[in-house]
Amino acid sequence: MATPVEQWQPGMDLTAGRMESMNQRSSFMVTNFGADSSGGTDAAPGIQLALNAARDLGGAQVTVPPGVYLIGQTLRIYGNTRLTLMAGAEFRRNVAATMLINGDSGQTFGGFTGHSRIIIEGGLWNMRGTTAGFDRLGHVHQHRPRHGHPDPRP
């Protein structure tokens, strides 16, 4: 059995024990960073603060509890991050831009050299009648969106 660690490092075997150890030490709830879950105000600044905290640790789980989260600016996700929208959580697009991008603007990644080991799961991604939502995650290595439901309704 592999030794639990606080943070996964490239080249390290990823085992269930290590994942559980990482999960217990590095988990952020977006509402603790000021994200409004009522759908009344822009939640993006608080969500981004949680994503930045995950980035600053070299990766973590960012959890979105049930509620409606207005996304009024493009969110940026980084390597070794697991973004989990719990059942009943909805990201509702409220900006004429992409909802989620891999990394920062100005970064130039070619091929599959962008931020890696990103998991995006759960919840409802309400694009509000538009098609672009994840168009800049294309050059991610080991990116796994799963179980979410993009919703094209306005």
Side-chain angles (χ1 to χ4, degrees), residues 6-138:
E6 288 187 35
Q7 177 177 319
W8 182 87
Q9 298 293 322
M12 192 181 280
D13 290 331
L14 195 55
T15 65
R18 284 186 174 152
M19 285 296 290
E20 182 59 25
S21 176
M22 289 165 47
N23 184 38
Q24 291 173 359
R25 290 184 177 89
S26 306
S27 182
F28 301 110
M29 188 79 64
V30 298
T31 50
N32 292 339
F33 289 82
D36 174 32
S37 64
S38 73
T41 61
D42 185 9
I47 295 167
Q48 190 60 60
L49 285 172
L51 291 168
N52 290 350
R55 175 201 60 203
D56 294 346
L57 279 180
Q61 179 165 359
V62 176
T63 303
V64 181
V68 175
Y69 298 83
L70 291 181
I71 306 301
Q73 67 187 44
T74 299
L75 298 172
R76 299 181 183 282
I77 193 166
Y78 304 93
N80 303 312
T81 301
R82 180 181 198 137
L83 177 60
T84 303
L85 280 70
M86 298 173 70
E90 175 185 341
F91 274 6
R92 186 175 293 171
R93 184 176 171 173
N94 200 35
V95 63
T98 302
M99 285 177 72
L100 185 67
I101 291 179
N102 175 11
D104 291 317
S105 61
Q107 291 178 328
T108 54
F109 295 120
F112 291 95
T113 60
H115 294 275
S116 301
R117 293 169 295 282
I118 295 171
I119 297 173
I120 302 165
E121 60 187 354
L124 174 68
W125 291 75
N126 185 343
M127 306 304 177
R128 300 188 81 175
T130 62
T131 56
F134 297 116
D135 66 339
R136 303 243 176 109
L137 291 177

